[in-house]
Amino acid sequence: MGVEKQQVGAYYQLELFEDWVPRSHGDTGNGGTGAGTHEERQTFTASNERRALAQNLMERVCNLANLNRAYKGVKANKGSAGIDGMTVKDLREWLHTHRDEFIASLLDGTYQPAPVKRVEIPKPGGGIRQLGIPTVVDRLVQQAILQILTPDIDASFSESSFGFRPGRSAHDALRQASRYVAEGHIIVVDCDLEKFFDRVNHDVLMARVARRIGDKRLLRIIRRFLEAGIMVNGVCMERYEGTPQGGPLSPLLANILLDDLDKELEKRGHCFCRYADDCNIYVRSEAVGRRVMESITQFLENQLRLRVNRDKSAVAHVSERKFLGYRLHQGGRLLVVPQSWQRAKDRIREITRRNRPMPFEDRIEKLNEFLLGWVRYFHLAECRTKLERLEEWT
């Protein structure tokens, strides 16, 4: 086909997927801009503009630059194949063959996600975490949606929310928590959500997503991602709740739902830090902490339909609880929890065990990679002496 343009719906098709070129939304087909008269443009207020953008999100999702960036993002993230066995390397060839109907299905709202593949991985503290691995095509769609939604939606999130947000990190959450403790908020209300990603109520979540999105095609596709089945041992199981960990869109959806919790805590004037589903509220006394725990538990269970794990939740002095692998102490000091030290030793033993065949240079490279990453994450902690002992032990 060379470089000859061939119209496909609202798009022109060139030789490569990377060259999808969208037609201007203002093209009237008669040489005009479609912008209307000056008076008409004046009446098109900012609120109307926002509403129009909200109603035409799928066109933005399918925009040339956005699809290209999503494609590159999926390739960079790599990851396992989904239930169809298609790898990231296979994606380009698939797009060459199916790109016409792929983009058309997104624009007309008929795109249907495939079931996710369930993968179980051990949690660092024991137990099993269930991941849902979408197909690479579904990951491409989710990534394209994520890139369009994040700039507008993320800007409305709380300043005390840190997980899975651009420009924010676990270290930012820890620094803020340290400031709260230094100011005298030495009691923490540690509220543990039971299997959060597995228990999200779809109706409650979609009601909150619909507050922010006016494009019904996009809402339908997001709902289909939530309701896509789970493939277990060759059998597809229907899913009525949960947003599976493993897809690019799940963290944003989780933050949209838990933003209601953030806004409720802000309304009440509480000091808190939330990283994904890990939320700590800092108060000055245990009596206040117990009242906060009771009221917030009722809010989570009644308003957001989430379950609070009462066995793992607690109101305690900050030094008795952990947050993101750290422990806070009087004055806001940050230390590494014993479990993190033990996991580091376990990993070092695994890399250096004698019955693991590996060239010595590769072993050193893996060991340095782990140690540098570990130290980089825990660099906020006061642990110089322990690090020296760990080095000697290694």
Side-chain angles (χ1 to χ4, degrees):
M1 184 168 54
V3 296
E4 182 181 352
K5 294 181 180 179
Q6 183 177 9
Q7 189 174 349
V8 182
Y11 286 75
Y12 290 117
Q13 180 182 350
L14 297 185
E15 185 178 1
L16 298 175
F17 174 81
E18 286 82 357
D19 292 325
W20 280 97
V21 182
R23 294 179 66 186
S24 169
H25 294 312
D27 187 359
T28 61
N30 57 8
T33 65
T37 64
H38 175 74
E39 291 74 14
E40 289 170 339
R41 291 196 299 271
Q42 289 292 94
T43 61
F44 193 75
T45 63
S47 61
N48 287 334
E49 184 176 8
R50 286 194 297 271
R51 190 176 302 114
L53 288 173
Q55 291 172 348
N56 291 281
L57 284 172
M58 283 311 303
E59 279 70 24
R60 295 172 60 191
V61 167
C62 295
N63 173 267
L64 160 68
N66 188 58
L67 285 175
N68 290 342
R69 192 155 59 98
Y71 176 61
K72 292 174 183 177
V74 171
K75 288 204 308 183
N77 291 333
K78 300 180 181 178
S80 304
I83 64 167
D84 59 359
M86 185 190 301
T87 66
V88 174
K89 290 182 179 180
D90 299 329
L91 180 58
R92 182 183 178 91
E93 183 178 349
W94 184 92
L95 290 169
H96 270 297
T97 306
H98 301 281
R99 56 191 179 187
D100 295 12
E101 57 265 35
F102 169 65
I103 290 186
S105 66
L106 291 174
L107 291 171
D108 64 21
T110 60
Y111 182 85
Q112 185 64 52
V116 299
K117 181 172 69 175
R118 190 170 77 178
V119 176
E120 296 182 345
I121 61 172
K123 291 182 179 180
I128 297 294
R129 174 177 287 113
Q130 293 185 355
L131 300 183
I133 309 300
T135 65
V136 291
V137 177
D138 284 343
R139 296 209 294 271
L140 172 67
V141 177
Q142 289 194 33
Q143 183 66 32
I145 293 172
L146 178 70
Q147 291 168 179
I148 292 301
L149 296 184
T150 295
D152 292 333
I153 293 180
D154 186 83
S156 68
F157 287 155
S158 168
E159 288 297 313
S160 295
S161 166
F162 297 92
F164 307 112
R165 297 185 59 191
R168 288 170 169 258
S169 68
H171 290 149
D172 296 323
L174 289 160
R175 290 188 185 96
Q176 181 163 302
S178 177
R179 287 195 295 271
Y180 290 149
V181 175
E183 292 167 359
H185 300 86
I186 58 173
I187 303 298
V188 61
V189 179
D190 188 352
C191 196
D192 185 273
L193 295 175
E194 184 176 335
K195 296 181 178 179
F196 170 74
F197 284 93
D198 298 328
R199 298 278 172 81
V200 169
N201 182 287
H202 290 172
D203 291 335
V204 173
L205 172 58
M206 288 306 302
R208 280 141 185 84
V209 174
R211 294 175 187 169
R212 304 167 181 267
I213 297 174
D215 193 319
K216 293 182 179 179
R217 297 165 298 174
L218 183 52
L219 289 172
R220 280 196 297 269
I221 288 177
I222 292 175
R223 181 98 193 196
R224 287 171 189 161
F225 276 120
L226 291 174
E227 295 178 346
I230 302 176
M231 191 68 73
V232 183
N233 298 323
V235 178
C236 184
M237 303 171 59
E238 293 185 358
R239 188 170 71 230
Y240 301 100
E241 61 180 3
T243 173
Q245 292 175 270
L249 203 52
S250 290
L252 177 64
L253 296 177
N255 275 332
I256 289 174
L257 178 63
L258 290 174
D259 187 57
D260 274 23
L261 170 63
D262 298 341
K263 295 302 191 289
E264 181 68 18
L265 292 171
E266 288 177 343
K267 186 173 70 175
R268 299 183 186 187
H270 288 309
C271 299
F272 71 98
C273 296
R274 183 177 65 79
Y275 192 93
D277 59 330
D278 197 349
C279 184
N280 281 359
I281 307 164
Y282 299 93
V283 296
R284 295 181 183 274
S285 71
E286 287 194 26
V288 172
R290 286 192 292 271
R291 290 197 298 271
V292 171
M293 175 66 83
E294 182 180 356
S295 62
I296 290 302
T297 297
Q298 291 179 0
F299 176 83
L300 288 166
E301 295 185 341
N302 297 335
Q303 299 298 319
L304 301 185
R305 306 282 183 88
L306 298 171
R307 300 182 190 178
V308 174
N309 189 326
R310 287 165 172 77
D311 293 332
K312 293 185 178 180
S313 300
V315 176
H317 191 278
V318 289
S319 62
E320 300 174 18
R321 305 296 291 180
K322 63 180 179 179
F323 183 47
L324 301 176
Y326 282 74
R327 179 166 290 163
L328 288 112
H329 282 253
Q330 201 84 20
R333 294 168 55 234
L334 288 164
L335 303 179
V336 181
V337 298
Q339 298 95 315
S340 296
W341 288 110
Q342 187 57 51
R343 285 197 292 271
K345 284 192 169 186
D346 292 343
R347 179 60 179 146
I348 292 168
R349 283 194 186 97
E350 181 184 350
I351 294 172
T352 59
R353 69 174 185 257
R354 296 181 182 181
N355 62 353
R356 182 179 184 181
M358 182 188 303
F360 188 71
E361 292 78 9
D362 293 349
R363 196 183 303 272
I364 293 297
E365 183 179 353
K366 283 187 176 294
L367 184 61
N368 283 337
E369 181 182 342
F370 167 73
L371 288 172
L372 288 171
W374 195 90
V375 171
R376 192 175 294 119
Y377 181 76
F378 286 106
H379 78 272
L380 296 180
E382 299 177 10
C383 58
R384 183 183 181 87
T385 301
K386 283 196 172 185
L387 276 176
E388 289 173 350
R389 291 174 184 169
L390 180 65
E391 184 182 30
E392 293 171 1
W393 178 83
T394 304

